[in-house]
Amino acid sequence: MSGISRRRFLAASVAGCAATTLAGPKKALASGTFSGYPDGMGVLVDLTRCVGCRSCEAACNKEQKLPAPGRPFDDMSVFDETFHGGKQKRRPDENAYTVVNRYNPEGGAPVYRKVQCNHCNEPACLSSCFVNAYTKTPEGAVIYNSKVCVGCRTCMVACPYQVPAYSYSSSLDPVIKKCIFCYDTRLKKGLPPACVEICPQEALTFGKRKELIKIGHQRIETHPGRYVERLYGEKELGGTSWMYLAPVAFDQVGFDPSPGNEPIINNVKDFLGTVPMVLAIWPAMFTGFHLLAKKHKGHDEHEHDAEQQHGEEGEEQ
Amino acid sequence: MGAKQTLTTLIMALALIAAGTTAVAADLPDQVSLDTMAKLFNGVEFDHAMHADLGEDCSACHHHTTGTGTSNERCMGCHADSPGMKTVQCSGCHVVEPFSAKHINRDASNRYQFHIDMPGLKAAYHWNCVGCHEQMDGPTGCQECHSRTTAGDDFYQKKAVPAVAAAKGEH
Ligand code: SF4
Ligand code: SF4
């Protein structure tokens, strides 16, 4: 496709707006209820199994054709890297959609944690994006259309897990980058993501989200003492496709221990109040976005038919 | 029971055990090539004879598949008295692709309710081998068991493409 056509962009945007104004807010705001698509896939991350080998990082890099890393993937000294005065560990960025960090909980063995997009059931990135660049697919992935993205970075701020990164490689080519659950190359073909496939420890279990919930609870039950009794992501912030089991309290391995179960969208009700205003000034804004969007012609990765996918999503909600 | 009788019983029992062991031992492979998944790492030439000598019981690795009962509490619920199985190979139960659509959508009827979260072959090897090696001070580093292939070197030590080439490839 040679750049998004004006008509399709308009159609997708208006369809998006209509969905947001007519159906969206009512259902979305009654939220915490959308537990994901019935057959949506997910990954259960078991921190007790991860040995911090970083193979998943290498596999992601290869699958997503990302640039070579600063340090090789078998260099474990990256675990000592910290930022912001030692408070913050590595985070996914535009060159690495996933990173593994090491934690040293008090009096215990080190615990490794893989970080990437959690593919929320009700993604804040999606609901905050006013050009509808994001889509939650029925398979469970939260993907984005880089041709529509205008680089406003609202999603970066909205994401409760600080996942979307912003590509600064060219100021004329703004684009958000993040883990897409290997949607294009794997998930939609029924294959597990590259990180899951490579993991030597099966620290990452791929399956239907609803089954992973059962498996998660079963592991807690059948291995007393091995896990804290919490399946993180089952309910947190409206639930996520990626969920976690840990041997120690979640705040000791970098998770927000009490994010609440309400999706972030409930915190941006006020923002949604501006939707009618957006509709009123849409034509003027549209012209601007279109000009920006045209500059994205070169981006052919992660192209998705926003129009069609939004349609599907609208039906499911 | 007299002392003599006890001794006879003991000898008979020992003879039986010996016979049993010999029968099994005759079928034991000395060497097993674990190489079905080799790609980034070379396969493992597993010294089965040495491990069989070390192990107190086949079930330490083979669960109940050898017919010697299982030492795993969870498995014992059903398999405490299970007979030996036709296959004792790891790959007989642990599949190479546990996350294929076919495997995920298989008919997990009640019979398999406890086998639902069974590790795939790669994890089964790593948990079994490394788990024991950690306790017994065996090798635990990746390349102590399987050396990396050239493809593996490229994979883990990906080098930056020279700037010129990178600029051309940039879109
Ligand atoms: S983790 Fe962040 S980027 Fe990923 S779906 Fe949720 S809100 Fe969006
Ligand atoms: S590949 Fe698996 S064991 Fe290795 S760091 Fe990633 S999640 Fe952990």
Side-chain angles (χ1 to χ4, degrees), chain A residues 260-304:
Chain A
N261 291 342
E262 293 296 310
I264 293 291
I265 184 154
N266 283 10
N267 302 333
V268 290
K269 276 179 193 168
D270 293 346
F271 172 80
L272 282 178
T274 62
V275 166
M277 184 272 286
V278 170
L279 268 181
I281 59 165
W282 197 254
M285 287 172 80
F286 161 71
T287 314
F289 299 150
H290 177 58
L291 288 175
L292 277 167
K294 267 172 74 174
K295 288 182 176 164
H296 296 188
K297 271 184 189 163
H299 280 288
D300 40 22
E301 275 172 281
H302 313 324
E303 274 185 44
H304 306 294

Side-chain angles (χ1 to χ4, degrees), chain B residues 32-136:
Chain B
V32 182
S33 296
L34 309 177
D35 55 7
T36 43
M37 294 170 293
K39 210 158 74 188
L40 302 175
F41 292 88
N42 291 304
V44 174
E45 281 307 314
F46 179 70
D47 190 342
H48 190 264
M50 187 267 277
H51 285 89
D53 280 348
L54 281 179
E56 285 169 21
D57 194 324
C58 304
S59 74
C61 298
H62 287 284
H63 319 307
H64 65 97
T65 53
T66 47
T68 50
T70 173
S71 44
N72 183 315
E73 268 178 46
R74 187 164 170 237
C75 309
M76 264 153 86
C78 301
H79 296 295
D81 305 311
S82 284
M85 305 223 326
K86 269 190 221 118
T87 175
V88 293
Q89 267 178 12
C90 307
S91 58
C93 297
H94 299 280
V95 299
V96 173
E97 291 185 341
F99 305 121
S100 66
K102 190 175 154 234
H103 197 252
I104 285 173
N105 296 318
R106 76 196 182 285
D107 174 27
S109 56
N110 271 344
R111 197 155 96 79
Y112 298 116
Q113 62 176 316
F114 295 105
H115 292 177
I116 251 166
D117 192 17
M118 183 158 59
L121 187 60
K122 183 168 51 177
Y125 285 150
H126 286 133
W127 297 358
N128 221 354
C129 300
V130 183
C132 192
H133 284 189
E134 272 170 352
Q135 287 170 21
M136 314 294 271

Side-chain angles (χ1 to χ4, degrees), chain A residues 55 61 66 197 200 202 219, chain B residues 117 120 122 126 156 158 171:
Chain A
S55 299
N61 177 287
L66 296 169
E197 194 172 276
E202 222 167 275
R219 279 189 204 165
Chain B
D117 192 17
K122 183 168 51 177
H126 286 133
Y156 285 99
K158 179 172 171 180
H171 50 253

